[in-house]
Amino acid sequence: MKFEIKNRDAAGRTCRFTTKHGTVTTPALLPVINPNKMIITPKEMKRLFGTEMVITNSYIIKKDKKLKEKAIEKGVHNLIDFDGPIMTDSGTFQSYMYGNIKIDPLEIVEFQRDIGSDVGTILDIFGTPDQTETKATEGVQETVKRAKQSMKVKGDMILACTVQGSVYPNLRKKCAEKLSKINANFFPIGGVVPLMENQRYSDLVRGILASKRGLNPSKPVHLFGAGHPLIFPLAVALGCDFFDSSAYIKYANDGRMIFPEGTKKLDDLDELPCYCPVCTKFTASELKKMKKPERTLHIAKHNLYVSFAELKKIRNAISEGNLWELVERRARSNPHLLEAMRELRKTENKTWLEQFEPISKNKALFYTGSQTIHRPIIYRYHKRLIDRYSFLSDSAAILPDGKKPYSKYYSNEIREILAKRNDVEIVVNSHLGPVPIKLDEMYPFAQSIFPEVTDKETEESIKKIFDEFMRGKKAIFWKGEKTLQNLSKPQEKTTKDRDLERISAVADMQFGKNASKALFDGKIRIVKSKKTGKIRNIYCDEKHVLSMRAGDGLFTLKISGAKMLHNFFKYPKLRVIVQEDATPFVKDGKSVFAKFVLNCDEELRPFDECIIVDKNDDLLATGRCILNKIEMSSFNFGMAAKTREHIN
Amino acid sequence: MKFEIKNRDAAGRTCRFTTKHGTVTTPALLPVINPNKMIITPKEMKRLFGTEMVITNSYIIKKDKKLKEKAIEKGVHNLIDFDGPIMTDSGTFQSYMYGNIKIDPLEIVEFQRDIGSDVGTILDIFGTPDQTETKATEGVQETVKRAKQSMKVKGDMILACTVQGSVYPNLRKKCAEKLSKINANFFPIGGVVPLMENQRYSDLVRGILASKRGLNPSKPVHLFGAGHPLIFPLAVALGCDFFDSSAYIKYANDGRMIFPEGTKKLDDLDELPCYCPVCTKFTASELKKMKKPERTLHIAKHNLYVSFAELKKIRNAISEGNLWELVERRARSNPHLLEAMRELRKTENKTWLEQFEPISKNKALFYTGSQTIHRPIIYRYHKRLIDRYSFLSDSAAILPDGKKPYSKYYSNEIREILAKRNDVEIVVNSHLGPVPIKLDEMYPFAQSIFPEVTDKETEESIKKIFDEFMRGKKAIFWKGEKTLQNLSKPQEKTTKDRDLERISAVADMQFGKNASKALFDGKIRIVKSKKTGKIRNIYCDEKHVLSMRAGDGLFTLKISGAKMLHNFFKYPKLRVIVQEDATPFVKDGKSVFAKFVLNCDEELRPFDECIIVDKNDDLLATGRCILNKIEMSSFNFGMAAKTREHIN
């Protein structure tokens, strides 16, 4: 099995998952194939929806003599006529649904192995939401025990070890930790179907987060039984990679059409509010008039078109860097889902999510409502503002939010203020939080779109941050020229280097407090774009230390800059430390693969600039992280950091 | 021309618009056909997207010798090979785009008439957003003058008279009023393209609302130049019936794909995040590799699939009664659109919108965010609570929001409270506002879904309503048995008739303050459903006066009940007054058509129960309104009220 991150946003990721039968791009949806009754064959699914992997049920195969014989003789791929990766389920869900079913937990794993399943599943104990913690703990213990035993008999099959723990987050986390320790390769999160059926999305979010906290981050995570696209964006943002859908056919049997925002009954529809190939070919009344098997087939296809497209939208959002926006928008479709989003406002969850959050994005940040301000990237910014930003004076002139970039929009005001009070900081009291004017081109300030009025919750959250940032300083709210006249004596006019202040502020925010002291300790020359006037390249004593990116206003670290930071900051700050084997390759400019990473700075974030060193802390290169520390420590496949400039 | 309302929600409506060349269901999108270059022919559009009507440009036809000759000789339908209704534009937009173009305002109307256009457009003066009010007023005056002159030469063509007025709402309203007076039949709202291009959606909303206020409500309204589905739901909710799209092809030429949430460049996409027939047939890289004309064609088709489906979604939302939800959700896609939604919180706008808001809906009310509480139906409820609800005591026990219906969820608490303080009202302090327990089955209380926590803005809005409702009364916040012990002396136990209190409260809210005194002045017998225990039928002195509907907890008015209300309430309260010609038909149970309505109670709302009387105020029937007063006074087609029970 190979599992490597190709792209990422939020705690979600687009990965390549490789099995004996080929490669799957995640987040992926595995349609459930009933081997007794294939309404749509896996081959047809591949053709119509681009289905790369399916799931079928080994318990159902095993209990049917004919299916069992054929599966053992010719393999499960032959049985359902599909040459891509196949996952099999074990009968756990059937035990939960229909009570005590006789299945031997090891026999069913061996059976899955024997029929050539790519990913087989242990027979875990389904933890129901109404269980006591004691009962749930017993279930988890038995699940872990079975997982351990199953690992011994799985052969070269990938074994899915399901995380259980009912509605008890600590139990989920413990279960996940134990399963991770036995070195399993695939982790379903189980026992969630009744939560979804009853729209207990807050419990679902807590369950996913607790499981993810306990799991090895380098392994695929499958939200077992989740087949409705309503939940896909949020589940992906929290780190789920796989879904499976029997919903497409169950709902179709019942005349229900799946939409990303919810479900509609065909009988309630005069028109089909959809543009899928089914709904553009037939009218509502044509579908209604069809005989049931035909109608069911068409609705099932509609359901799969919609479900697969939602995953495309999610992968697209990951690549654009606006997955949180999709999550927040979708949450508005369902009040219970909206309620569940409040889980993401808890500090412990923001702290966990922030680790995975890319340092900047390709697209502008759109405000969708009061949840926006709780996105990990904004949480990070607020923290860094307090921890890393150096106030150059004990007072600040405060401007209200305005057009972007602020320094351009407020150029007159800035001139006026500086003419009177050369010593004050200028801070925009923005919808995103306080923005010192020097940071106004840094992502996400210039790259965010907010309405003129946000909402009371956002305002109150931001006021708290503003007050914390300004603690011990004097805030002078700018109301035109007169504001300062009464408040201060005009200063002696000194010529401050505003550009130097700007690059210093950004460098501190990006690399750590006082990074600017290391980087700009010499004669500074700043080269600007002739076209836009924006800062492009920075030289210190004629060494090129940094470039500023036009897109996100952050720095790209040059090798000379890396040397300075490397001298200044103590190990392992900003470092990615590579094994000896990899050292010569990195020195030659090859990228750093995860399996060669020895250690890394725990503050490095995806897409952060980093310093690549060997085990003796000798500088090898500069690079851009793809993974964070806990990922670098656990992934065996894929790139950990892309080398930018190397020492040779 | 016929234009009649078939279904409605918000201030939006599904109508049938009939022309010489057939009937169109609105809200409708008219793709712009360039007669010089039909990328997709109108016939093909009809086949693929169900296009019923198209728009082409008479100025472009007229200035091309060949096209002009063919159009005059064989007609515009032949020219573009389409036998459905065709609208033509006049060249106003070209004048705006390319400066002074020579077009004679009357000649161009005559030309449209001569080529057989179903809907021709006057040559109005495009009001740009940057105009002074003086300049804009001049433009409006000239537009109105031209409209008047054009009316004389239009023949039997439907004439579209465009409402202008730049960004000045009063001017828009005046223009709309003047155009309505000249008895034109079709009203585009013009000059909005630059507002949409610059995402000035607040100005757009103000412009639409002002135009609608001035326009005859029985005429179709066209948002001229609006072709992006992002704006469709809101525009429809404000009363727009037609859109036209040149965006589908303009965007396609530029490689841009339209989505309901915005636009994406094909070049930015690795995968196509869409399930339309184009995007399920081709991959992103296949589309990118195509030669430009082919790629443009496919993107144009995608754009039309998406745009037409959005209208289906809107019509579906109108039929389900959840158009506001769709509007609120879509607004989260774009911060500027979200900002524009705040216009709908202004009292003047809520008051206007409330007139058109149906009295109840088919589907539950979903909370989407702080905007929800400002929906007209909630605004109406709050007003009626203050105006119509009769408090039976000077204190109330206040319960927090809970599961629905409240009386079932809180049955223990209610028993406890009543055992101690038989005289207090019981009120749930819900997310929707105060809900006296007797109203808990009335739409939208039992039929609304809110998260457990809403948001600060909603909470503050609701607190104001709660305080207003409780003014002069004592609120006893229920915190278990002990709450009342200290606050009050146990009352003497009287046996109050809780069911009678319930039906009285609902009747007052639905029909007007003290309606219950008229309806229940006798021996009351209440028949309940054996299955659900809910109130079904109410008899007063053995006359069947009301039935309570299971779906929305509101009453259906029986003829005996109508007699009582008719006696009790002064003319024209609750009445729809019909002309003499129609009297015998209504007496026989035929429905009331709009053109036969003489007058009606201005407080009647769509789907309200009404009393149908003749001009002498003699009772003819009971019915259910389809239209409100201003609509009944202006519509010449379609049903005004559906008769339920008649006097014969």
Side-chain angles (χ1 to χ4, degrees):
Chain A
M1 186 202 80
K2 267 172 78 175
F3 187 65
E4 48 185 317
I5 291 186
K6 287 293 167 188
N7 213 338
R8 62 188 311 160
D9 192 27
R13 49 207 190 171
T14 305
C15 295
R16 284 167 63 83
F17 173 70
T18 305
T19 72
K20 283 180 297 180
H21 284 87
T23 295
V24 176
T25 299
T26 69
L29 173 64
L30 319 184
V32 174
I33 303 297
N34 181 342
N36 279 308
K37 200 183 171 190
M38 286 189 259
I39 305 287
I40 312 171
T41 64
K43 266 190 179 167
E44 181 77 351
M45 288 183 180
K46 190 173 178 177
R47 191 178 68 83
L48 293 177
F49 321 113
T51 306
E52 292 181 321
M53 182 171 174
V54 299
I55 182 169
T56 186
N57 193 301
S58 66
Y59 164 73
I60 290 173
I61 297 172
K62 192 166 177 283
K63 77 170 184 180
D64 182 290
K65 207 180 156 216
K66 265 192 177 169
L67 292 175
K68 180 180 170 180
E69 276 172 14
K70 192 175 174 194
I72 288 184
E73 198 184 324
K74 302 194 167 170
V76 66
H77 292 80
N78 181 289
L79 183 73
I80 63 169
D81 190 22
F82 185 63
D83 60 5
I86 297 177
M87 178 174 184
T88 45
D89 196 357
S90 59
T92 296
F93 193 71
Q94 282 69 23
S95 303
Y96 156 68
M97 287 292 285
Y98 310 114
N100 271 334
I101 286 173
K102 270 199 182 166
I103 318 176
D104 181 274
L106 284 188
E107 230 175 81
I108 196 73
V109 171
E110 288 164 344
F111 178 71
Q112 295 175 74
R113 174 198 69 199
D114 293 344
I115 63 175
S117 179
D118 294 285
V119 182
T121 309
I122 61 163
L123 189 78
D124 52 303
I125 308 293
F126 195 100
T128 59
D130 56 354
Q131 282 179 331
T132 62
E133 196 161 355
T134 314
K135 182 84 186 157
T137 307
E138 284 168 27
V140 163
Q141 281 165 348
E142 179 64 20
T143 295
V144 173
K145 192 179 119 195
R146 289 182 183 181
K148 283 181 187 164
Q149 292 168 338
S150 301
M151 283 296 283
K152 293 176 191 156
V153 300
K154 76 176 186 69
D156 66 353
M157 178 176 73
I158 299 165
L159 188 65
C161 294
T162 312
V163 181
Q164 291 289 355
S166 179
V167 292
Y168 307 103
N170 282 335
L171 192 55
R172 286 243 176 225
K173 183 163 175 261
K174 267 184 212 160
C175 181
E177 283 166 352
K178 282 180 185 162
L179 293 175
S180 291
K181 270 189 196 140
I182 65 173
N183 224 0
N185 264 338
F186 196 99
F187 297 104
I189 297 176
V192 295
V193 167
L195 298 178
M196 288 183 290
E197 282 173 350
N198 297 301
Q199 303 200 68
R200 290 175 60 176
Y201 298 125
S202 297
D203 278 315
L204 181 67
V205 167
R206 284 190 285 265
I208 295 173
L209 282 170
S211 304
K212 283 290 294 188
R213 275 198 169 90
L215 286 173
N216 179 330
S218 72
K219 305 297 177 183
V221 175
H222 176 171
L223 194 63
F224 226 149
H228 198 299
L230 177 69
I231 196 70
F232 291 173
L234 177 56
V236 170
L238 301 181
C240 295
D241 307 295
F242 284 93
F243 303 93
D244 60 283
S245 175
S246 59
Y248 77 95
I249 185 67
K250 275 190 202 159
Y251 283 45
N253 270 319
D254 199 22
R256 286 187 294 163
M257 303 179 75
I258 290 176
F259 292 96
E261 304 87 9
T263 309
K264 291 182 192 295
K265 291 207 83 163
L266 172 62
D267 285 345
D268 293 345
L269 297 172
D270 300 323
E271 287 187 277
L272 301 171
C274 174
Y275 45 79
C276 84
V278 174
C279 295
T280 46
K281 190 170 173 193
F282 302 108
T283 66
S285 70
E286 282 166 0
L287 277 185
K288 286 178 196 172
K289 277 179 205 153
M290 283 175 190
K291 291 202 174 140
K292 205 190 160 193
E294 198 191 350
R295 183 176 61 231
T296 301
L297 172 67
H298 287 304
I299 299 180
K301 282 185 183 171
H302 158 91
N303 289 346
L304 285 172
Y305 275 122
V306 168
S307 303
F308 276 98
E310 186 67 2
L311 285 167
K312 288 187 205 166
K313 275 184 214 169
I314 291 170
R315 291 194 294 261
N316 181 245
I318 290 175
S319 122
E320 291 186 338
N322 51 22
L323 181 55
W324 282 122
E325 260 142 60
L326 182 60
V327 171
E328 289 170 12
R329 277 196 278 120
R330 284 285 183 263
R332 302 280 170 181
S333 309
N334 183 299
H336 304 295
L337 191 57
L338 188 58
E339 185 171 310
M341 293 294 288
R342 292 206 169 242
E343 288 295 315
L344 310 184
R345 300 186 181 195
K346 292 178 178 163
T347 305
E348 72 208 70
N349 292 335
K350 287 204 257 191
T351 310
W352 185 80
L353 288 166
E354 190 273 328
Q355 300 174 85
F356 302 95
E357 189 73 16
I359 211 76
S360 78
K361 320 251 179 158
N362 294 330
K363 293 267 171 178
L365 184 156
F366 272 36
Y367 169 90
T368 77
S370 63
Q371 188 64 38
T372 300
I373 215 69
H374 298 280
R375 286 192 202 160
I377 200 157
I378 297 178
Y379 175 68
R380 169 190 298 154
Y381 169 66
H382 292 160
K383 277 191 64 148
R384 289 195 177 181
L385 208 52
I386 307 295
D387 295 345
R388 299 185 172 184
Y389 186 79
S390 295
F391 241 90
L392 296 183
S393 65
D394 57 2
S395 58
I398 314 295
L399 295 166
D401 207 338
K403 292 223 171 91
K404 287 149 191 174
Y406 299 127
S407 49
K408 204 168 169 190
Y409 179 69
Y410 279 125
S411 57
N412 287 335
E413 285 81 353
I414 292 170
R415 247 193 309 276
E416 276 179 48
I417 294 169
L418 294 180
K420 296 246 152 51
R421 277 287 300 263
N422 199 12
D423 62 326
V424 300
E425 290 260 354
I426 299 172
V427 175
V428 176
N429 188 8
S430 90
H431 293 316
L432 258 173
V435 180
I437 204 80
K438 305 163 206 168
L439 298 178
D440 77 332
E441 282 175 12
M442 193 182 122
Y443 187 87
F445 309 123
Q447 303 83 355
S448 62
I449 300 178
F450 275 65
E452 274 183 31
V453 178
T454 56
D455 62 276
K456 294 240 162 72
E457 273 182 12
T458 298
E459 283 169 13
E460 284 179 23
S461 303
I462 288 309
K463 183 161 189 319
K464 272 186 206 156
I465 305 297
F466 182 84
D467 290 346
E468 194 182 344
F469 180 65
M470 290 301 295
R471 190 175 297 152
K473 280 123 203 161
K474 184 171 188 166
I476 307 162
F477 290 88
W478 179 249
K479 293 188 183 75
E481 252 196 276
K482 287 180 188 167
T483 322
L484 298 179
Q485 282 177 352
N486 304 327
L487 282 162
S488 65
K489 294 162 202 155
Q491 299 290 304
E492 221 178 304
K493 284 197 182 140
T494 60
T495 321
K496 287 204 175 184
D497 187 339
R498 301 289 164 200
D499 287 336
L500 181 59
E501 284 185 8
R502 173 175 286 271
I503 59 174
S504 298
V506 174
D508 286 357
M509 288 291 282
Q510 186 177 355
F511 300 113
K513 189 150 187 149
N514 295 328
S516 56
K517 294 194 177 152
L519 287 161
F520 309 132
D521 182 21
K523 189 173 168 285
I524 300 301
R525 182 165 67 89
I526 295 175
V527 178
K528 294 186 181 182
S529 157
K530 277 181 191 157
K531 207 173 147 196
T532 64
K534 284 185 178 180
I535 293 169
R536 281 290 162 265
N537 292 305
I538 298 147
Y539 296 83
C540 178
D541 293 332
E542 286 312 312
K543 278 175 286 188
H544 188 184
V545 290
L546 297 170
S547 295
M548 191 175 259
R549 299 192 290 260
D552 62 9
L554 290 169
F555 291 121
T556 293
L557 184 61
K558 311 301 287 181
I559 201 81
S560 302
K563 282 181 190 165
M564 294 167 176
L565 291 174
H566 180 253
N567 273 335
F568 184 79
F569 284 124
K570 279 197 189 126
Y571 178 96
K573 173 86 180 162
L574 288 181
R575 271 80 157 176
V576 171
I577 301 104
V578 298
Q579 285 179 10
E580 217 163 346
D581 311 1
T583 303
F585 298 99
V586 176
K587 271 188 182 168
D588 273 353
K590 297 281 187 301
S591 284
V592 178
F593 284 82
K595 64 175 166 184
F596 297 113
V597 175
L598 280 176
N599 191 11
C600 112
D601 176 9
E602 64 175 16
E603 287 192 338
L604 283 174
R605 295 291 173 256
F607 308 142
D608 241 335
E609 299 291 301
C610 64
I611 301 171
I612 305 168
V613 298
D614 66 14
K615 64 175 174 145
N616 305 318
D617 197 23
D618 284 336
L619 181 67
L620 304 175
T622 68
R624 189 181 203 198
C625 295
I626 308 296
L627 309 179
N628 66 15
K629 173 169 173 161
I630 60 168
E631 291 166 338
M632 288 197 198
S633 314
S634 55
F635 266 91
N636 282 319
F637 300 100
M639 214 184 276
K642 204 171 152 62
T643 303
R644 285 197 190 278
E645 270 193 282
H646 51 100
I647 204 85
N648 282 358
Chain B
M1 186 204 80
K2 266 171 78 173
F3 188 64
E4 47 185 319
I5 292 187
K6 289 293 166 188
N7 212 337
R8 62 189 308 161
D9 192 27
R13 50 207 189 170
T14 306
C15 295
R16 282 167 64 82
F17 172 70
T18 306
T19 72
K20 285 180 295 181
H21 284 85
T23 295
V24 176
T25 299
T26 70
L29 173 65
L30 319 185
V32 174
I33 304 296
N34 181 343
N36 279 311
K37 199 183 172 191
M38 286 190 260
I39 305 288
I40 312 171
T41 65
K43 266 190 180 166
E44 182 78 351
M45 288 183 182
K46 190 172 179 178
R47 192 177 69 81
L48 293 177
F49 321 114
T51 306
E52 293 180 320
M53 183 170 172
V54 299
I55 182 168
T56 186
N57 193 301
S58 65
Y59 164 73
I60 290 173
I61 297 172
K62 192 166 176 284
K63 78 170 185 179
D64 182 291
K65 204 180 157 218
K66 265 192 178 168
L67 291 174
K68 180 181 171 180
E69 276 172 14
K70 192 174 174 193
I72 287 183
E73 196 184 325
K74 303 195 169 173
V76 67
H77 292 80
N78 181 289
L79 183 74
I80 64 169
D81 190 21
F82 186 61
D83 61 5
I86 298 176
M87 180 173 182
T88 45
D89 195 358
S90 59
T92 297
F93 193 71
Q94 282 69 23
S95 303
Y96 157 68
M97 288 292 284
Y98 310 115
N100 273 333
I101 286 174
K102 267 199 186 166
I103 317 175
D104 181 90
L106 286 187
E107 228 174 80
I108 196 75
V109 171
E110 287 163 346
F111 179 70
Q112 293 175 77
R113 175 198 69 198
D114 294 343
I115 63 174
S117 179
D118 294 285
V119 182
T121 308
I122 61 165
L123 189 79
D124 52 302
I125 308 293
F126 195 99
T128 58
D130 56 353
Q131 280 179 332
T132 62
E133 198 162 355
T134 313
K135 182 87 186 153
T137 307
E138 284 168 23
V140 164
Q141 281 165 349
E142 178 64 20
T143 294
V144 173
K145 191 178 120 196
R146 290 182 182 182
K148 283 182 187 165
Q149 291 167 338
S150 300
M151 283 297 282
K152 293 178 191 154
V153 301
K154 77 177 186 66
D156 64 354
M157 179 177 71
I158 299 164
L159 188 67
C161 294
T162 311
V163 181
Q164 292 288 356
S166 179
V167 293
Y168 306 104
N170 283 334
L171 192 55
R172 285 241 176 227
K173 184 162 173 265
K174 268 185 212 160
C175 180
E177 283 166 350
K178 282 181 185 160
L179 293 175
S180 291
K181 271 191 197 139
I182 63 171
N183 224 1
N185 263 338
F186 196 101
F187 296 105
I189 297 176
V192 295
V193 167
L195 297 178
M196 289 182 293
E197 281 173 350
N198 296 303
Q199 303 200 69
R200 289 174 61 176
Y201 298 124
S202 298
D203 278 315
L204 181 67
V205 167
R206 283 190 285 265
I208 295 174
L209 281 169
S211 304
K212 283 290 296 187
R213 276 198 169 89
L215 285 173
N216 178 330
S218 72
K219 305 297 177 185
V221 175
H222 177 171
L223 194 65
F224 227 148
H228 198 299
L230 178 70
I231 196 70
F232 292 173
L234 177 56
V236 170
L238 302 181
C240 296
D241 308 295
F242 285 93
F243 303 93
D244 60 281
S245 173
S246 59
Y248 77 95
I249 185 68
K250 273 191 204 159
Y251 283 47
N253 270 322
D254 198 22
R256 286 187 295 162
M257 303 179 74
I258 289 177
F259 292 96
E261 303 86 11
T263 308
K264 290 182 192 295
K265 291 207 83 163
L266 172 63
D267 285 347
D268 292 344
L269 298 171
D270 299 323
E271 286 187 277
L272 302 170
C274 174
Y275 45 78
C276 84
V278 173
C279 296
T280 46
K281 191 169 172 191
F282 303 107
T283 65
S285 71
E286 282 166 359
L287 278 185
K288 286 178 198 171
K289 277 178 205 153
M290 283 175 191
K291 290 201 172 142
K292 203 190 162 193
E294 197 190 351
R295 184 176 61 231
T296 302
L297 172 67
H298 287 303
I299 298 179
K301 282 185 183 173
H302 158 91
N303 289 346
L304 286 172
Y305 275 121
V306 168
S307 303
F308 276 98
E310 187 66 3
L311 285 168
K312 289 187 204 167
K313 275 184 212 168
I314 291 169
R315 291 193 295 260
N316 182 245
I318 290 176
S319 122
E320 291 185 340
N322 51 23
L323 181 56
W324 282 122
E325 261 141 62
L326 181 62
V327 171
E328 288 169 14
R329 277 197 278 121
R330 284 286 184 263
R332 302 278 171 183
S333 309
N334 184 299
H336 304 295
L337 191 56
L338 188 58
E339 185 172 309
M341 293 293 288
R342 291 206 170 244
E343 288 295 315
L344 309 185
R345 300 187 180 194
K346 292 179 179 164
T347 306
E348 72 209 70
N349 292 335
K350 288 205 253 189
T351 309
W352 184 81
L353 288 166
E354 190 274 327
Q355 302 175 84
F356 302 96
E357 188 73 16
I359 211 77
S360 78
K361 320 251 179 157
N362 294 329
K363 292 268 173 179
L365 184 156
F366 272 36
Y367 168 90
T368 76
S370 64
Q371 188 65 37
T372 300
I373 215 70
H374 298 281
R375 287 191 201 161
I377 200 158
I378 297 178
Y379 176 67
R380 169 190 298 155
Y381 168 67
H382 292 158
K383 276 191 65 146
R384 289 195 176 182
L385 208 53
I386 308 295
D387 295 344
R388 299 185 172 186
Y389 185 79
S390 295
F391 240 89
L392 296 182
S393 65
D394 57 0
S395 58
I398 312 295
L399 296 166
D401 207 337
K403 292 223 171 90
K404 286 148 192 174
Y406 298 128
S407 48
K408 205 169 166 188
Y409 179 70
Y410 279 127
S411 57
N412 287 333
E413 285 81 353
I414 292 170
R415 246 193 309 277
E416 277 179 48
I417 294 169
L418 294 180
K420 295 244 154 51
R421 277 287 301 265
N422 200 11
D423 62 324
V424 299
E425 291 259 355
I426 299 171
V427 174
V428 177
N429 188 8
S430 90
H431 293 317
L432 258 173
V435 181
I437 203 81
K438 305 163 208 171
L439 297 178
D440 76 332
E441 283 175 11
M442 194 183 121
Y443 188 89
F445 310 121
Q447 301 83 357
S448 63
I449 301 178
F450 275 66
E452 275 183 33
V453 178
T454 56
D455 61 277
K456 293 242 165 71
E457 271 181 14
T458 298
E459 283 168 14
E460 284 178 24
S461 302
I462 289 308
K463 187 165 184 316
K464 272 185 207 158
I465 305 297
F466 182 83
D467 290 346
E468 193 180 347
F469 180 64
M470 290 301 295
R471 190 176 297 152
K473 279 123 205 161
K474 183 170 186 169
I476 307 163
F477 290 88
W478 179 249
K479 293 188 183 79
E481 253 194 273
K482 286 180 191 169
T483 321
L484 298 178
Q485 281 174 353
N486 305 327
L487 283 163
S488 65
K489 292 161 205 159
Q491 300 290 304
E492 224 178 303
K493 283 196 181 139
T494 60
T495 323
K496 288 205 177 184
D497 187 340
R498 301 288 163 201
D499 286 338
L500 181 59
E501 284 185 7
R502 175 175 285 271
I503 59 174
S504 298
V506 175
D508 287 357
M509 289 291 283
Q510 188 176 353
F511 300 113
K513 187 148 188 153
N514 295 328
S516 56
K517 291 192 180 155
L519 287 161
F520 309 132
D521 183 21
K523 191 175 165 285
I524 299 301
R525 184 165 66 87
I526 294 174
V527 179
K528 294 186 180 179
S529 156
K530 277 181 189 156
K531 207 174 147 196
T532 63
K534 282 186 179 179
I535 293 170
R536 280 291 164 266
N537 292 304
I538 297 147
Y539 296 82
C540 178
D541 293 332
E542 287 311 313
K543 278 175 288 188
H544 189 185
V545 290
L546 297 170
S547 294
M548 191 175 257
R549 298 192 290 259
D552 62 9
L554 290 170
F555 291 121
T556 293
L557 184 61
K558 311 302 287 183
I559 200 83
S560 302
K563 282 181 190 166
M564 295 166 175
L565 291 174
H566 181 254
N567 273 333
F568 184 80
F569 283 125
K570 280 196 190 126
Y571 179 97
K573 171 86 180 163
L574 288 180
R575 271 82 156 176
V576 172
I577 301 104
V578 298
Q579 284 179 10
E580 219 164 345
D581 311 0
T583 302
F585 297 100
V586 176
K587 270 189 182 169
D588 274 352
K590 298 282 188 299
S591 283
V592 178
F593 283 82
K595 64 175 164 182
F596 297 114
V597 174
L598 280 175
N599 192 10
C600 114
D601 177 8
E602 65 174 15
E603 286 193 336
L604 284 175
R605 295 290 173 258
F607 308 142
D608 241 334
E609 299 291 301
C610 64
I611 301 170
I612 305 168
V613 298
D614 66 13
K615 64 175 174 144
N616 305 318
D617 197 23
D618 285 335
L619 181 68
L620 303 175
T622 68
R624 190 181 203 198
C625 295
I626 307 296
L627 308 180
N628 68 14
K629 173 169 172 161
I630 60 168
E631 291 165 340
M632 288 199 200
S633 315
S634 55
F635 265 91
N636 282 320
F637 299 100
M639 215 184 276
K642 206 171 148 63
T643 302
R644 283 197 191 277
E645 269 193 280
H646 52 101
I647 203 88
N648 281 358

